[in-house]
Amino acid sequence: MGFLHEIRNLEFIKDLEREINTDVLLFGVDGFTYYGNLQAIEDCRIAFLTPAITAESNEVEILTPGGEIREVTFLRVDLWSIIAKGSGIVNDPFNNTGSGNALNVNGVIGLGQRDGEEQRQDGHDLVCQLRRMVGDTVVLTTLGGFLFEGTLGAADNCLALLTVNSIFVPGTDQCISNRDVRSVLVNLESLTSISTVCCC
């Protein structure tokens, strides 16, 4: 079985099906972030995006891991490669980014350099610990180099629902703030570390 087969989450895809005809951010395992209006999910695997309603552009926007924005007319993306989705989009998150403040975190629990099978088990250990943090402000890091900070609302079916404080994407020193995106659903199969945020 391939890597994408290991991190796919059918519950994540089912949840995404409820977002048809809404603007979404899709975060890929490769560090790419896609912003558009979800028109369809084909064969329970391929998301079809058209330009977002809230976008400042008339194209689907792709933020590369290098920090460049590319625009395309439409996009089909493999949902097995998507590790999180942002919803409740208020503003174009690529053109209205907030200030990139450094996070003050404590209690980081992460994955070390181990073989694949041991890492998979450690990932499930992280999920068990995360379930005890519902209601806390947490920081989750994932494959692809993403960092999600927010209040953990739920952790079920290997999915974490957060009310967004900040989302940091690879290749940029600015964050996507809660002024642009209200919530994020993270596929916990892609989780690499969890931590809590100091309130002081």
Side-chain angles (χ1 to χ4, degrees):
M1 296 289 166
F3 171 70
L4 294 181
H5 189 269
E6 289 287 321
I7 65 165
R8 73 177 177 163
N9 186 324
L10 298 179
E11 292 298 322
F12 178 81
I13 295 171
K14 284 181 192 176
D15 188 86
L16 192 59
E17 287 174 337
R18 292 191 283 260
E19 302 286 347
I20 299 290
N21 294 320
T22 61
D23 292 348
V24 294
L25 273 174
L26 299 177
F27 301 91
V29 70
D30 52 5
F32 283 83
T33 305
Y34 308 96
Y35 175 50
N37 189 277
L38 180 63
Q39 290 296 301
I41 295 178
E42 302 165 348
D43 300 324
C44 200
R45 182 162 179 179
I46 306 298
F48 180 69
L49 299 178
T50 58
I53 296 166
T54 55
E56 293 183 13
S57 167
N58 291 328
E59 306 285 342
V60 176
E61 296 174 304
I62 303 170
L63 180 63
T64 70
E68 294 180 41
I69 296 176
R70 299 291 182 190
E71 296 180 344
V72 295
T73 305
F74 66 89
L75 177 75
R76 282 186 169 87
V77 63
D78 185 347
L79 290 176
W80 286 13
S81 71
I82 299 301
I83 52 100
K85 74 161 174 114
S87 57
I89 310 290
V90 178
N91 297 308
D92 185 333
F94 295 161
N95 291 312
N96 290 314
T97 54
S99 62
N101 296 327
L103 296 176
N104 183 14
V105 298
N106 67 16
V108 174
I109 305 167
L111 299 179
Q113 298 291 356
R114 299 184 187 100
D115 66 25
E117 190 60 38
E118 194 173 338
Q119 273 192 340
R120 299 299 314 148
Q121 183 58 44
D122 284 350
H124 291 288
D125 291 344
L126 288 177
V127 172
C128 290
Q129 292 184 26
L130 184 65
R131 286 186 182 126
R132 294 185 217 129
M133 298 174 156
V134 171
D136 294 346
T137 300
V138 298
V139 173
L140 307 180
T141 60
T142 64
L143 298 173
F146 297 101
L147 183 147
F148 302 95
E149 177 193 5
T151 304
L152 181 62
D156 296 317
N157 298 318
C158 230
L159 298 171
L161 178 64
L162 280 79
T163 302
V164 171
N165 288 353
S166 304
I167 301 171
F168 290 87
V169 297
T172 179
D173 60 354
Q174 294 186 331
C175 69
I176 297 170
S177 75
N178 59 1
R179 290 182 302 250
D180 302 322
V181 178
R182 299 288 188 225
S183 65
V184 67
L185 186 69
V186 179
N187 176 356
L188 297 180
E189 294 291 346
S190 66
L191 191 64
T192 57
S193 73
I194 61 175
S195 60
T196 56
V197 176
C198 292
C199 58
C200 307

